[in-house]
Amino acid sequence: MKYLRLAIDLDGVVANFNAGWIRFYNRAFDADLTVDLVDDWDVIPRITHFSHMGQFWDWAADLDGSSLFRHLDTFPDAVPALEDLDRRGHHIAIVTSKPEFAVHDTYCWLGERRIPTTEVHITEDKPSVSADVFLDDAPHQLRRLRRYRPGSFEGWLWRITRNTFIDETRRRKRRPTVPLPDGDRSDLG
């Protein structure tokens, strides 16, 4: 059996983002929104009092001391399905994009829900993560994934450049530097 490297998005795939923000919104603003009102990707300013997404993200950054992303429920059976894939030997890489304020809460959320992964990528550049299968709900990400052609010369060159940069960054982190003491440095050449 061939084991697959699976790139799994969180919000809208594992985490029920729409039910989560609607639950908090209804409680905070005494509203009565339902998930079925979410009919496209940019609906929030249309169905809430927020005039633009920046206002929504400002609000979502601090709900009960943590960002919205710390409070999201998982979809039913999402975690058991990931556990089953993991047990079967597939490699699960979480590949998600988040606002900066949500990065810490995302790691906490993954641990608290015991999501079976040893690899997490928080990036807007999802095609940069190597995978056999991508599972994502964002239309703009799916278009980018479809356009990326790993078998092309450009894809090959891009991958080598990216991996070389990452390897060099990791190497530098492993080799700590120690500052030289102040004083005479004439013996250094």
Side-chain angles (χ1 to χ4, degrees), residues 98-168:
K98 299 280 186 232
E100 186 63 33
F101 67 77
V103 171
H104 175 77
D105 286 337
T106 298
Y107 284 111
C108 292
W109 186 91
L110 288 164
E112 290 164 358
R113 282 143 187 89
R114 304 186 59 79
I115 304 298
T117 187
T118 57
E119 185 177 348
V120 178
H121 300 266
I122 299 179
T123 180
E124 285 295 323
D125 190 18
K126 292 182 180 184
S128 70
V129 178
S130 169
D132 297 306
V133 176
F134 283 87
L135 184 57
D136 201 305
D137 68 318
H140 65 281
Q141 292 292 356
L142 296 172
R143 281 190 295 277
R144 291 181 73 208
L145 289 165
R146 193 175 63 235
R147 279 194 310 263
Y148 178 69
R149 299 287 183 244
S152 69
F153 174 76
E154 292 82 4
W156 172 80
L157 185 59
W158 183 88
R159 174 76 61 203
I160 288 173
T161 304
R162 176 187 173 275
N163 290 345
T164 301
F165 173 78
I166 290 171
D167 291 346
E168 180 63 19

Side-chain angles (χ1 to χ4, degrees), residues 8-50:
I8 309 292
D9 180 34
L10 289 180
D11 306 314
V13 175
V14 178
N16 194 338
F17 178 78
N18 288 327
W21 78 259
I22 287 172
R23 181 179 72 240
F24 272 89
Y25 184 87
N26 286 343
R27 187 173 73 196
F29 301 107
D30 196 30
D32 195 24
L33 299 179
T34 57
V35 174
D36 61 302
L37 294 172
V38 180
D39 60 1
D40 75 38
W41 199 252
D42 298 314
V43 72
I44 291 173
R46 246 188 12 249
I47 66 172
T48 68
H49 76 281
F50 299 119

